[in-house]
Amino acid sequence: DQQVKQNSPSLSVQEGRISILNCDYTNSMFDYFLWYKKYPAEGPTFLISISSIKDKNEDGRFTVFLNKSAKHLSLHIVPSQPGDSAVYFCAASAFAGGTSYGKLTFGQGTILTVHP
Amino acid sequence: DTAVSQTPKYLVTQMGNDKSIKCEQNLGHDTMYWYKQDSKKFLKIMFSYNNKELIINETVPNRFSPKSPDKAHLNLHINSLELGDSAVYFCASSPTTGYLYNEQFFGPGTRLTVL
């Protein structure tokens, strides 16, 4: 039973436009959410995170939105750049004050392609 | 000056063999992890060590045995390799302060192919 799902395997966007990547989760104990970015032949790198006490977190061109009632989060990239082309993984943690010991549950990733 | 390194990067071996993957981090983190990315691309946690102590042990066959000689190293030994063990294995590390637990640094991965 996959508790974190990214239902879009791929997304293609024109340079300069907005990229929106979506993620759904089922476990109501999750209270911390992250996005990781992965280039081919490299490990995932942390991009941005959000705690369940917030509904939005912004870092430069990247904004993550959290809708707890819908158990849905999204990553917005504005404006999109060709260098953003990568696989994006959504991840969730039942942080609970640190007792999760860093156990992350990942989605299966969405391949983002940004065309020049 | 690589933060999290893994060796080897590629590993091709026959079914039934025993193999090890090594991981080292130079970030001074207290916690290290092993993840498996299967053919469906899901990244799933296998183990986590904090200061050489096992703290996460997911449902993994006991053919997989992690070893942490010190907090900068976490190795993965796999006995009696099976076809289904073919995957990419990622090592990661993180601090253990608050939410930083979750902001993990990953190695480049080891692609294991069992023939």
Side-chain angles (χ1 to χ4, degrees):
Chain A
D1 177 34
Q2 194 57 27
Q3 299 180 62
V4 178
K5 294 181 182 178
Q6 294 174 254
N7 292 316
S8 297
S10 63
L11 175 67
S12 184
V13 170
Q14 206 67 31
E15 181 179 7
R17 306 294 291 267
I18 184 171
S19 296
I20 300 176
L21 297 107
N22 294 304
C23 178
D24 297 297
Y25 62 95
T26 57
N27 189 341
S28 57
M29 298 299 292
F30 288 148
D31 57 3
Y32 198 78
F33 305 89
L34 308 94
W35 286 92
Y36 282 81
K37 175 180 178 178
K38 183 182 179 306
Y39 291 117
E42 294 183 11
T45 54
F46 168 72
L47 189 58
I48 192 170
S49 62
I50 188 167
S51 161
S52 60
I53 62 173
K54 296 183 176 181
D55 54 19
K56 176 182 173 181
N57 188 26
E58 192 171 352
D59 183 3
R61 296 185 298 113
F62 302 90
T63 303
V64 56
F65 294 92
L66 175 62
N67 182 333
K68 290 186 290 294
S69 60
K71 294 191 176 66
H72 177 84
L73 65 155
S74 60
L75 174 68
H76 292 211
I77 307 174
V78 183
S80 301
Q81 300 174 353
D84 295 330
S85 297
V87 180
Y88 288 79
F89 289 96
C90 169
S93 166
F95 181 68
T99 58
S100 66
Y101 297 113
K103 180 180 174 180
L104 296 179
T105 301
F106 282 84
Q108 68 269 52
T110 295
I111 301 170
L112 173 65
T113 304
V114 180
H115 298 282
Chain B
D1 58 347
T2 306
V4 182
S5 59
Q6 295 179 228
T7 53
K9 194 166 177 66
Y10 299 96
L11 186 53
V12 180
T13 187
Q14 298 289 329
M15 216 164 42
N17 284 349
D18 303 339
K19 290 293 178 186
S20 292
I21 307 171
K22 296 186 176 182
C23 178
E24 177 181 1
Q25 56 95 4
N26 62 6
L27 297 166
H29 291 162
D30 292 328
T31 304
M32 297 184 72
Y33 312 81
W34 277 111
Y35 285 86
K36 177 181 180 181
Q37 185 179 31
D38 59 24
S39 56
K40 294 183 180 178
K41 304 301 181 187
F42 286 106
L43 266 165
K44 294 185 179 177
I45 191 164
M46 301 172 68
F47 303 103
S48 172
Y49 269 75
N50 177 264
N51 278 321
K52 302 194 298 175
E53 181 183 346
L54 182 66
I55 55 171
I56 295 176
N57 186 354
E58 291 297 287
T59 308
V60 176
N62 57 16
R63 298 182 295 102
F64 290 79
S65 53
K67 293 282 192 305
S68 182
D70 56 61
K71 73 174 192 178
H73 295 84
L74 180 62
N75 304 322
L76 183 65
H77 189 76
I78 315 170
N79 290 327
S80 304
L81 278 154
E82 300 178 357
L83 293 176
D85 297 332
S86 295
V88 181
Y89 292 84
F90 289 98
C91 176
S93 72
S94 74
T96 52
T97 306
Y99 287 126
L100 293 177
Y101 248 131
N102 297 307
E103 295 169 17
Q104 298 170 14
F105 291 74
F106 283 78
T110 296
R111 182 174 293 277
L112 171 66
T113 304
V114 182
L115 304 175

